[in-house]
Amino acid sequence: MTFQLQYTDAKSEARAGLMTTDHGLIETPIFMPVGTLASVKGVHLHELKDDIKAQIILGNTYHLYLRPGTGVIEAAGGLHKFNGFDRPMLTDSGGFQVFSLAGIRKLKPEGAEFRSHIDGSKHFFTPERVIDIERSIGADIMMAFDECPSGTADYDYAKKSLDLTEGWLDRCVQRYQETDPKYGYHQSLFPIVQGCTYRDLRTRAAENVAAKNMEGNAIGGLAVGEPAEVMYEMIELVNSILPKDKPRYLMGVGTPINILEGIERGVDMFDCVMPTRNGRNAMIFTWHGTINMRNKKWETDFSPLDPEGTSYVDSTYSRAYVHHLFKAQELLAMQIASIHNLAFYLELVRQARQHIIAGDFSLWKAKQIEELGRRL
C-alpha cells in the first residue's frame, strides 16, 4: 500500500491524499461504512458502490470469526469473494469488542478470553491468533489487537491497559512479518494508539506506534465517554507525533461535526456505525442539521429528504413518505434512511477534500459546523 500526500490546508492540519491498494484507490479524507458481518446493514452491494460511492468498507474480525467463521471465508477465497465487494476493505482487530464485552471476558498478558455473545462458547484471542484470523479474512488493511479502555478510566487502569496493548502490538508485528497473505494481494497492518485521555500515555503510545514504521496508523480509544473537547485535544497531540507521510485513521468517530473537526486536525480515515444505526432509528442527517423522521411535523412535508443532498433517495422520496414508512414500521424506512445517511457522510468528506484542494477548507468548515449541529 502507498500513500501520497497531495494537498495541505494553509490554516489547519487538514490534508488530502491518495491511498493505493491492490483493490483500488482511496481518496482521503474518507469515511468507511461499517460492514460488521460482511454486509452494511440494509444496503445492497450496487447501492453501496453506485449510490453511496463507498471507496472502502469495514469488516469485524470478532463477528466474522464467530459467524460465518474463517473456514467459510477461506473456502470462498477471502472476504472480497465472499461478499462481492471488489474495492478495498479493512478489518478491525476485535479490540473494541473486548472492551464492549467487559462482563464476559478476561484479559491476560497472553491475550483475551471471552464468551461468544451468540452461544456462550469460550474463545481465546492472542495477538498471533488475531493476525491469523485477519489473514484468513483477507482485508487490505488489518488492525493490530489492542484493548480499548473507557474514556473515563483512571490513570492506573489506563497505564496497565497501554502496557498490555503495547506488548500485544509487538507480537502482532512479529506475526504479521512472519506470515504471508493467503489470496495473492498485499495486506497492511495498522497499529493503534491508545492511552485514554492522559497526555503522557498518549504521547508514549504515539511514539511507540510511529517507531513501528508500518504503512499506516490508527487512533483508538476515543468517543468512548470522554468530552468532545478532550477527544479533539488527544487527536491534536497524537497527530503531532504520528508521521505525516502515512495515513491516520480515527477509529469509531463519529458525528458529521466530529469528522470535520478530525479532518481539521489531520485525520485521513474515519468509520462509525452512526449513519446506519441512527438511520434505522429514524434520524436523517442533512446539510442543515438532523431530522427525526417520526416527528409529526413531517407528515405533510413533501419536500426531498435533503434539498441540498446528492444521494438518489433525496430526489426520489419525500419527508412525508419516509415519515409514513417509519410510523408504519415498514422495513423500507430503515433502508432509505441508511442509504441516505451513508451517502451524506461520503459527500461530506468529498466536499471537505475539494475545499482542502481549493484552499478554503477552514472557511467552509466553520460554516458547515453552524448548520450541522441543528435539530430541524
Side-chain angles (χ1 to χ4, degrees), residues 104-164:
I104 52 175
R105 51 86 165 157
K106 296 178 182 178
L107 301 180
K108 306 175 183 179
E110 296 78 20
E113 178 185 285
F114 62 92
R115 290 192 176 275
S116 165
H117 71 286
I118 299 170
D119 60 10
S121 58
K122 188 181 292 186
H123 303 268
F124 195 69
F125 271 6
T126 64
E128 295 82 4
R129 180 69 175 129
V130 167
I131 295 298
D132 290 347
I133 293 168
E134 292 192 87
R135 287 292 198 195
S136 293
I137 294 171
D140 302 85
I141 299 172
M142 311 186 303
M143 305 308 300
F145 192 45
D146 67 330
E147 196 219 344
C148 176
S150 165
T152 58
D154 63 38
Y155 185 87
D156 287 344
Y157 185 92
K159 184 177 183 301
K160 291 177 182 177
S161 174
L162 182 57
D163 292 341
L164 196 65

Side-chain angles (χ1 to χ4, degrees), residues 127-306:
E128 295 82 4
R129 180 69 175 129
V130 167
I131 295 298
D132 290 347
I133 293 168
E134 292 192 87
R135 287 292 198 195
S136 293
I137 294 171
D140 302 85
I141 299 172
M142 311 186 303
M143 305 308 300
F145 192 45
D146 67 330
E147 196 219 344
C148 176
S150 165
T152 58
D154 63 38
Y155 185 87
D156 287 344
Y157 185 92
K159 184 177 183 301
K160 291 177 182 177
S161 174
L162 182 57
D163 292 341
L164 196 65
T165 289
E166 290 187 335
W168 288 354
L169 175 58
D170 290 339
R171 292 162 58 190
C172 281
V173 172
Q174 181 176 345
R175 188 66 167 187
Y176 171 74
Q177 291 174 339
E178 65 189 20
T179 57
D180 296 317
K182 291 178 180 287
Y183 308 111
Y185 53 83
H186 180 69
Q187 292 180 278
S188 301
L189 176 66
F190 283 22
I192 303 172
V193 176
Q194 291 289 351
C196 201
T197 58
Y198 302 102
R199 292 186 64 87
D200 63 326
L201 297 182
R202 283 284 176 181
T203 298
R204 167 189 145 187
E207 290 174 346
N208 181 60
V209 161
K212 298 301 180 187
N213 196 31
M214 305 308 287
E215 292 174 300
N217 301 299
I219 306 170
L222 294 176
V224 286
E226 80 285 355
E229 296 75 16
V230 175
M231 174 174 69
Y232 300 146
E233 179 187 345
M234 293 299 106
I235 295 170
E236 289 178 8
L237 173 63
V238 170
N239 279 348
S240 71
I241 299 169
L242 293 180
K244 295 183 181 298
D245 61 346
K246 296 181 179 181
R248 302 159 173 167
Y249 165 30
L250 179 59
M251 304 181 74
V253 179
T255 67
I257 290 176
N258 291 157
I259 288 174
L260 292 184
E261 295 288 356
I263 291 172
E264 185 176 52
R265 290 163 173 81
V267 174
D268 306 297
M269 305 166 67
F270 303 84
D271 81 285
C272 189
V273 298
M274 188 171 286
T276 47
R277 179 176 292 171
N278 287 27
R280 294 194 303 273
N281 287 283
M283 176 182 281
I284 294 287
F285 293 97
T286 80
W287 288 101
H288 295 294
T290 56
I291 298 176
N292 183 343
M293 293 309 306
R294 291 194 177 97
N295 287 349
K296 187 176 178 59
K297 67 185 294 184
W298 312 117
E299 186 175 30
T300 57
D301 185 338
F302 301 105
S303 61
L305 286 177
D306 186 357

Side-chain angles (χ1 to χ4, degrees), residues 42 47 312 317 321-322 325-326 329-339:
E47 293 162 333
Y312 82 97
Y317 303 111
Y321 179 64
V322 177
L325 294 177
F326 272 111
Q329 299 184 359
E330 284 286 340
L331 295 179
L332 181 59
M334 294 185 283
Q335 185 177 19
I336 290 172
S338 296
I339 295 169

Side-chain angles (χ1 to χ4, degrees), residues 32-45 47-48 52 57-60 63-64 67 83 97 117 272-281 331-342:
M32 303 179 285
V34 177
T36 301
L37 287 162
S39 70
V40 178
K41 285 185 172 62
V43 180
H44 291 110
L45 188 63
E47 293 162 333
L48 195 60
I52 295 166
I57 64 173
L58 270 68
N60 184 279
H63 287 284
L64 292 172
R67 185 170 53 193
N83 73 353
Q97 280 62 47
H117 71 286
C272 189
V273 298
M274 188 171 286
T276 47
R277 179 176 292 171
N278 287 27
R280 294 194 303 273
N281 287 283
L331 295 179
L332 181 59
M334 294 185 283
Q335 185 177 19
I336 290 172
S338 296
I339 295 169
H340 166 86
N341 284 347
L342 287 171

